[in-house]
Each structure stands twice: as structure tokens, then as C-alpha cells.
Amino acid sequence: MHELKTDPALKNFGLSENEFAQLVKDLQQGRDTLFEKIFLGHFQDCVHYLENNCSATPADAYDVSMETLLQFRRLLLQGKVTYGNLRFLFTRMAMQLYWKWIKRSPQTDKIEGIEIADPSEDFDEESIQQLHQAWSKLGEVCQRLLKNFYYNGVQLIEIAKLQDKSDAAVRQEKKRCLAKLRALFFKG
């Protein structure tokens, strides 16, 4: 099992260094064998990675992986990609592209059953008071997490780095905090 992880061919779409060099030459001459091999060998893995590690929707993960595939192809054609852990490079490019894409797109988040309303809408005093009460009972850790994410616009991956936690742990914590806030709001 350990040998599988360290096998250079597995890290490089199943290609040896010589095969990779030949396929890059072929790609530059208009033959897409390498491009097809990457697509068949890693595209779906990349989609799953984005869904599982970045909370991307299946459609977003597919779109970002496709865009990454096109960027990766351009880099190959320009000779800017060298042999050595190509799968990691491809996945890393996809993850970075996804985070850039998320930052550019408007945030229309929902809290399980509650739509985040347009700030220009008027709220009745009772709802505002109920939200303040729920927020005050939420606890400092959840308040800080939700405030950083929703109000300050700090991405979960950055919050995870600051707290020295995994992305998945912070996503779960955010989910629990939202559920707790929702319960307190409707209880109130």
C-alpha cells in the first residue's frame, strides 16, 4: 500500500517521465493523447476532491475541474509543466481556481430553511429582537466563526488555517453553529 503512494507513475497520471515527455511533444503537434489521458485518469477524482474538501456543488466542481483542465492544457502547450506529482499540481490548480471563483461570485447563502434576506428589506422589530436574543445565547466561539464568515467575508479555508484545524472540521463547526442559531431563533 505504501508503494502505491510513492510510485511516481501514479502521481503522474500513470505515466513515466519519458512517456510524459513524448505525450507533451505529441500535444504540441496537435495530438491530444496526453490531454485525454489526464481527463480520463484524473478529472472525476478532481471533481470529487472539490466536492468533499471544498464543499463545492457537483455542478461547480465539474465546471472548475473543466476550466482547470483547459488551463492545464495551455500550460502543457507552453512547456510550463514539468514531470513530477502532476496529479497534485492539477488538483491544487483546481482548488485555487475554485476559491478565486467563489470570492468573485455573490454570496447567496441559506441557513437551512431561512434565506439570508436582502439588507435593503425592512425587518419587523420582533424578528430583529428575536435574532439578537438568539445571537446572545449562541456562544462566543460560534459568534466569532459566523461573524468572520458572513460579516467579514473570511473564507472557511482561511479560518481553518488561523485556528490550525482542517477545512472539514471548520465546515462542520459552521454547520453546527448555524443549526444552533436557527434552533435558538425559532425557540425564542
Side-chain angles (χ1 to χ4, degrees), residues 8-9 41 85 107 109 119 135 163:
N85 211 351
Q107 294 295 321
D109 222 332
W135 184 260
Q163 294 181 359

Side-chain angles (χ1 to χ4, degrees), residues 31-89:
R31 292 184 295 276
D32 287 331
T33 309
L34 174 60
F35 188 60
E36 292 165 6
K37 188 164 186 70
I38 294 169
F39 180 80
L40 294 173
H42 189 61
F43 184 83
Q44 201 58 45
D45 290 346
C46 187
V47 169
H48 291 306
Y49 181 86
L50 292 173
E51 290 172 353
N52 295 331
N53 295 293
C54 300
S55 296
T57 65
D60 291 347
Y62 181 89
D63 290 346
V64 168
S65 296
M66 186 59 75
E67 181 62 32
T68 302
L69 189 63
L70 297 174
Q71 284 183 9
F72 198 76
R73 184 178 191 275
R74 278 191 294 275
L75 292 173
L76 286 165
L77 286 169
Q78 295 168 357
K80 293 184 178 180
V81 175
T82 58
Y83 185 82
N85 211 351
L86 296 167
R87 289 175 65 92
F88 176 79
L89 174 63

